[in-house]
Amino acid sequence: MLDVVIIGAGTAGMSAGIYAARSGKTALILEKKAYGGQIINTPNVENYPGIKSISGFAFATGLYEQVTALGVKVAFEEAVSIEDCGDYKVVNTNENSYETKAVIIATGAKNRQLGIDREEQFTGAGISYCATCDGAFFRGRDVAVIGGGNTAVEDALFLSNYCNKVYVILRRDVFRADPKDVEILKDKENVEFIYNSNIAKIHGENTVDGIELRDKEGKETFLKVQGIFVAIGQVPDNQSFQSLISIDDAGYVIASEDCKTNVEGIYTAGDCRTKSVRQLTTAASDGAVAALAACERINKN
Ligand code: NAP
């Protein structure tokens, strides 16, 4: 039987793996896609203490190398359910079942969608949720970035280096992003901010060729763009566990700073849990807290 099964190989999950392994426990990380989580799409991380500047990809790769060097296995399987068998738990994936003394849910969050007509049809044909992945396809083009958070501002900055024109569309008249980064974006000549507006309609045959914006007064404006970069936040991905674990209305696992869920022996870490600050540092910190709590319980039993 394993000591700890960690669901998710993002910053929280891999940090948990490091702490579990260094406490002498056997740990397995389950990941349904690729290691790294959301940070992999961030071009430059400049707010992680002790590291002045690093790409999200390099950061995630460093974590992966660190955790696997400590003997933690990473299996690329999707966890579909958890069974509570009292002293031990069973984590079922789409391929295997794993018995374990403790589970850490570190599933992170996925991109929120606009929820408008033809969004799915145009995904990959003008709509993207990852500027660093797809920005180069829009070299010399006009694009819109939707959102006013740190991701939207980072995306717009990144795209301003490739694109002819970058419109940043906000549904309110204030940014959520760090003011320092907004100021840097304001200095870019090919970036224009459009406040108090939402996308009402997407135009195009097979690919995007424009958007209809609607402002607070209901006035509609057409913008000719070939790309739409959606950066309107994330939603958690915990539905598979909701029959066992308490989850709030927005889908986040309910837990406080101790990272303990409503089930003994099941912990949660990172962006997938209820919390007010979702940052790289808090994800890493949660990983440590959850893993050490799990190890303490295992040692006591
Ligand atoms: P976020 O901070 O939640 O911002 C989402 C933005 O999208 C807000 O401007 C929000 O508007 C807008 N929005 C939400 N739903 C919308 C909708 N249906 N239609 C139009 N606009 C909508 O998300 P994020 O920028 O992805 O950041 C997520 C977390 O990661 C944050 O804690 C952020 O600080 C962190 N992050 C940090 C870094 C970094 O430190 N380098 C980089 C990226 C992200 P309202 O303001 O009106 O709600």
Side-chain angles (χ1 to χ4, degrees), residues 47 148-151 154 171-172 176 232-234 278-279:
N47 57 5
N150 279 320
T151 305
E154 271 184 1
R171 66 177 175 183
R172 294 190 295 151
R176 256 178 211 267
I232 58 171
Q234 285 81 38
R278 293 192 170 85
Q279 292 284 309

Side-chain angles (χ1 to χ4, degrees), residues 109-131:
K110 61 184 178 190
N111 294 317
R112 177 177 287 123
Q113 299 199 311
L114 290 165
I116 57 170
D117 269 1
R118 302 174 80 196
E119 184 171 5
E120 238 162 73
Q121 177 197 333
F122 284 122
T123 298
I127 296 186
S128 168
Y129 300 85
C130 176

